[in-house]
Amino acid sequence: MFKSQEERRVFGVSCFIEIQYCKLPESTKLEKIISVKEVSHWENDSLYVSGDDMNLFYKQYKDIITGGVYNNGKSGAMDLCGINFYSRENADLIMNRIEKEKPQEYEILLRWLKSGTDYIGFYILGV
């Protein structure tokens, strides 16, 4: 996480996967949730995975973070080049799997997910 966008810029890497809370109202239709124009980027409370660590992240979490909905409405494996939306129910399942499997540095993601239980879900926004 970065406290500000300036801190992110100073970090010196511009390629990130952003893991972001979906802050839309609970009544929002899925079509709107996964719409490109509804998704903002570079939120200060997001988690960021450096592009340099993208392959390691995918290897560690590809079997844990599953069932996301893509921008085209289809669902499948994590897409590190697009929009992936995970509902609150899916996030709960993911948290349980993370706690059980304990991948490398899992505490950071698990703590972040637990902090977002008031939201309708989360996104993984690919590079």
Side-chain angles (χ1 to χ4, degrees), residues 85-125:
F85 170 72
Y86 301 88
S87 68
R88 173 81 266 128
E89 296 79 20
N90 203 337
D92 291 340
L93 294 171
I94 290 167
M95 284 189 287
N96 289 336
R97 291 198 65 193
I98 290 172
E99 286 179 321
K100 179 181 173 188
E101 297 184 29
K102 297 178 175 36
Q104 184 178 2
E105 299 184 30
Y106 76 95
E107 298 93 344
I108 297 167
L109 179 56
L110 184 59
R111 184 174 37 250
W112 184 87
L113 287 167
K114 286 182 176 183
S115 294
T117 57
D118 289 340
Y119 299 113
I120 65 170
F122 71 98
Y123 296 105
I124 293 182
L125 305 175

Side-chain angles (χ1 to χ4, degrees), residues 7-94:
E7 182 181 342
R8 180 186 56 80
R9 285 184 208 95
V10 170
F11 186 72
V13 176
S14 61
C15 177
F16 292 97
I17 297 166
E18 182 175 0
I19 306 172
Q20 180 186 107
Y21 296 125
C22 179
K23 299 176 183 176
L24 294 169
E26 195 169 324
S27 61
T28 306
K29 294 185 186 279
L30 182 60
E31 294 78 24
K32 185 173 182 177
I33 292 170
I34 59 174
S35 170
V36 172
K37 64 182 178 178
E38 291 298 324
V39 176
S40 60
H41 294 276
W42 309 119
E43 296 292 325
N44 287 336
D45 59 354
S46 291
L47 281 181
Y48 294 92
V49 178
S50 167
D52 295 340
D53 298 322
M54 182 171 66
N55 291 334
L56 178 61
F57 176 79
Y58 186 78
K59 182 179 177 183
Q60 292 284 322
Y61 287 96
K62 67 180 169 77
D63 295 327
I64 296 172
I65 302 176
T66 60
V69 180
Y70 309 136
N71 172 257
N72 64 6
K74 295 183 180 181
S75 182
M78 189 180 354
D79 177 5
L80 298 183
C81 294
I83 295 173
N84 304 260
F85 170 72
Y86 301 88
S87 68
R88 173 81 266 128
E89 296 79 20
N90 203 337
D92 291 340
L93 294 171
I94 290 167

